[in-house]
Amino acid sequence: MALERTFSIIKPDATRRNLTGKINAKLEEAGLRIIAQKRIKMTKEQAGKFYEVHKDRPFYDELCEFMSSAPVVVQVLEGENAIAKNREVMGATNPADAAPGTIRAEFAESVGENSVHGSDAPETAAVEIAYFFSGTELVG
Ligand code: UDP
Ligand code: MG
């Protein structure tokens, strides 16, 4: 299988607790290469557009508030099967269901404040990467 790219966010609950390095270590140990990374603070509008697919869900407003409440680290990860591999190392959305050793099992505080985002398919990965990074910022 060819190299694949996925989009990742280290969320505000994790940046607040100074967990960027520990989460990056988990990603790298899983064989994912961080080929682009920056720390930014999203506006609520930016978060709203990013999570637009969830706009009719009951947690949408709270999610957008949370994602714009403190800095996040946006990243592009590259590796064999990167999308699925990242989802695996992230663990289930609800940390109570996340497998031992996964990022969410170790670090997430709740189903909402769950430390990381990861793309769920090639199409969403491409859109999400382009939302935060230009082509010249991606050096694999
Ligand atoms: N979320 C939430 N409550 C829920 C489900 C999701 O607050 O019941 C938040 C959570 O931060 C999650 C994000 O919305 O990571 C996006 O939800 P999704 O179902 O796409 O989960 P993910 O792909 O992040 O595992
Ligand atoms: Mg998702």
Side-chain angles (χ1 to χ4, degrees), residues 1-4 79-82:
M1 155 140 205
L3 281 183
E4 191 174 64
E80 296 283 326
N81 235 347

Side-chain angles (χ1 to χ4, degrees), residues 33-65:
R33 183 176 296 273
I34 302 162
I35 64 161
Q37 172 169 262
K38 57 191 171 191
R39 183 171 161 110
I40 61 167
K41 188 163 186 296
M42 277 196 246
T43 63
K44 191 173 175 185
E45 290 67 36
Q46 267 179 309
K49 186 153 181 265
F50 179 77
Y51 277 118
E52 199 153 33
V53 62
H54 294 307
K55 69 178 185 319
D56 296 327
R57 309 278 290 277
F59 57 82
Y60 178 68
D61 189 65
E62 196 182 349
L63 176 62
C64 297
E65 278 291 340

Side-chain angles (χ1 to χ4, degrees), residues 87-99 102 104-105 108 110-111 114:
R87 296 293 307 191
E88 198 180 314
V89 71
M90 286 165 63
T93 307
N94 186 340
D97 303 328
T102 60
R104 284 166 165 170
S110 65
V111 64
N114 58 3

